[in-house]
């Protein structure tokens, strides 16, 4: 009893799922994503095996329609299931069984599959489709979340709201660039789960986003930073003048403590987003 969007960004190859439901911790059962392979949403009296099985079959080269056929042939309870798949090449499929609680249905197109059941009506899927198509310039996590929120605004799950989740993967998007796993956010039991996801995604962008640009610190900014580093016990003293190794070591420790290491820039450069955060957090003069 859920609505979801499975999507791919054709510009970057990023893949993801956004889902919401009047159901506890929907993110534990519905979304499955693997970078470079595909994404699956499995819902409505959920068969959780469809997630890993679907990803494995995509990895073996089966297209989403063939996987949908295999699921339908191999599950005796298929008519109460619902699922959506998108492959790494943008092929997609959505399926709604005839025994899903009404209103139930979906739509699939290049790079996207949208589906839901126990919905206020078909206008939920229609609104989600319009939001997806209007969001092509957005980064995938924001595009998926905007699509989900459009469905909620159109009536969403007619039983109400409880949980939501957003999971995305992309080439080298993970922490430190070491994995493809990118965004994995959940609101498991919340009066406004999609709104909570939006708040969490903003925090994720701050803490795990990488600098879009950097610039040298000004003299006043460097003086402020050194004062902050001494006051917060990252250094006992630091020299005046140009950027130096002691300042770099202390600043790196500050970034790590503040969970800003993904926004680190060495050599006296600064990410403006990180600087704005630190100046707001530590506004007093030094």
């Amino acid at each position: 009893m859920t609505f979801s969007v499975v999507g791919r960004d054709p510009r970057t190859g990023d893949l993801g799922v956004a889902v919401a439901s009047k159901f506890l911790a929907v993110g534990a059962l519905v979304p499955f994503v693997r970078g470079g392979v595909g994404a699956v949403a499995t819902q409505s009296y959920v068969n959780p095996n469809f997630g890993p099985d679907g990803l494995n079959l995509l990895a073996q080269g089966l297209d989403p329609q063939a996987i949908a056929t295999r699921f339908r042939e191999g599950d005796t309870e298929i008519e109460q299931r619902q699922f959506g798949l998108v492959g790494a090449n943008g092929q997609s499929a959505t399926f709604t069984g005839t025994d899903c609680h009404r209103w139930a249905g979906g739509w699939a197109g290049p790079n996207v599959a949208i589906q839901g059941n126990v919905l206020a009506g078909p206008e939920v899927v229609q609104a989600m489709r319009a939001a997806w198509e209007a969001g092509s310039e957005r980064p995938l996590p924001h595009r998926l979340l905007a699509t989900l929120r459009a469905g909620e605004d159109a009536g969403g799950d007619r039983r109400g709201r409880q949980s939501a989740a957003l999971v995305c993967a992309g080439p080298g998007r993970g922490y430190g660039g070491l994995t493809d796993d990118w965004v994995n956010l959940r609101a498991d039991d919340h009066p406004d789960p999609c709104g909570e996801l939006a708040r969490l995604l903003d925090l994720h962008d701050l803490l795990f986003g990488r600098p879009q640009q950097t610039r040298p610190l000004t003299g006043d900014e460097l003086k402020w930073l050194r004062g902050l580093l001494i006051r917060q016990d990252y250094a006992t003293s630091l020299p005046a003048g140009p950027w130096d190794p002691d300042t770099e070591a202390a600043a790196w420790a500050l970034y790590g403590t503040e969970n800003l290491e993904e926004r680190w820039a060495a050599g006296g450069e600064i990410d403006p987003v990180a600087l704005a955060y630190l100046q707001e957090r530590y506004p007093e003069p030094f």
Side-chain angles (χ1 to χ4, degrees):
M1 299 67 167
T2 300
F3 58 104
S4 65
V5 51
V6 186
R8 172 182 175 268
D9 186 335
R11 301 167 303 173
T12 63
D14 298 331
L15 295 151
V17 178
V19 56
S21 182
K22 180 65 172 70
F23 186 89
L24 178 66
V26 70
L29 289 174
V30 171
F32 294 81
V33 183
R34 189 184 304 170
V37 173
V40 180
T42 172
Q43 57 201 51
S44 181
Y45 297 104
V46 60
N47 183 336
N49 294 313
F50 284 176
D53 290 351
L55 293 176
N56 288 337
L57 291 170
L58 285 168
Q60 293 169 23
L62 271 72
D63 65 71
Q65 290 292 345
I67 295 169
T69 298
R70 184 170 295 194
F71 285 172
R72 294 177 69 175
E73 293 173 347
D75 186 344
T76 59
E77 304 297 329
I78 192 63
E79 294 304 334
Q80 62 181 355
R81 316 282 194 212
Q82 190 175 52
F83 56 83
L85 305 98
V86 174
N89 60 3
Q91 292 182 331
S92 65
T94 187
F95 170 79
T96 299
T98 57
D99 293 337
C100 290
H101 292 297
R102 300 297 160 187
W103 190 88
W107 171 79
N111 301 301
V112 65
I114 294 169
Q115 46 280 316
N117 59 95
V118 198
L119 299 183
E123 63 271 18
V124 176
V125 170
Q126 294 164 5
M128 293 175 73
R129 176 180 177 176
W132 172 263
E133 291 176 341
S136 60
E137 298 304 312
R138 293 186 174 195
L140 183 65
H142 292 269
R143 187 180 188 184
L144 290 170
L145 183 54
T147 301
L148 193 71
R149 299 194 79 173
E152 180 180 59
D153 291 344
D157 186 329
R158 59 183 169 82
R159 300 169 304 160
R161 304 182 291 183
Q162 186 168 6
S163 67
L166 176 64
V167 182
C168 298
R173 293 283 199 178
Y175 182 79
L178 299 174
T179 73
D180 294 338
D181 296 332
W182 182 12
V183 177
N184 194 332
L185 301 174
R186 287 168 45 172
D188 283 347
D189 186 21
H190 196 280
D192 181 14
C194 291
E196 177 65 0
L197 273 192
R199 185 187 72 83
L200 292 173
L201 184 57
D202 285 344
L203 278 175
H204 186 278
D205 288 347
L206 168 65
L207 297 175
F208 300 111
R210 293 167 188 161
Q212 298 299 304
Q213 60 180 352
T214 63
R215 62 167 176 81
L217 285 158
T218 67
D220 287 344
E221 289 166 348
L222 182 52
K223 181 179 179 182
W224 168 84
L225 178 61
R226 283 175 167 146
L228 168 63
L229 294 171
I230 292 169
R231 182 180 178 110
Q232 297 298 317
D233 295 324
Y234 293 101
T236 55
S237 64
L238 292 169
W243 188 262
D244 67 284
D246 289 341
T247 301
E248 175 135 343
W252 170 245
L254 168 68
Y255 270 59
T257 302
E258 295 290 336
N259 298 319
L260 290 171
E261 59 269 22
E262 290 288 87
R263 291 196 172 274
W264 172 251
E269 294 281 313
I270 191 74
D271 170 20
V273 175
L275 178 63
Y277 169 79
L278 290 171
Q279 287 177 329
E280 182 179 1
R281 179 161 166 73
Y282 300 102
E284 63 266 40
F286 295 98

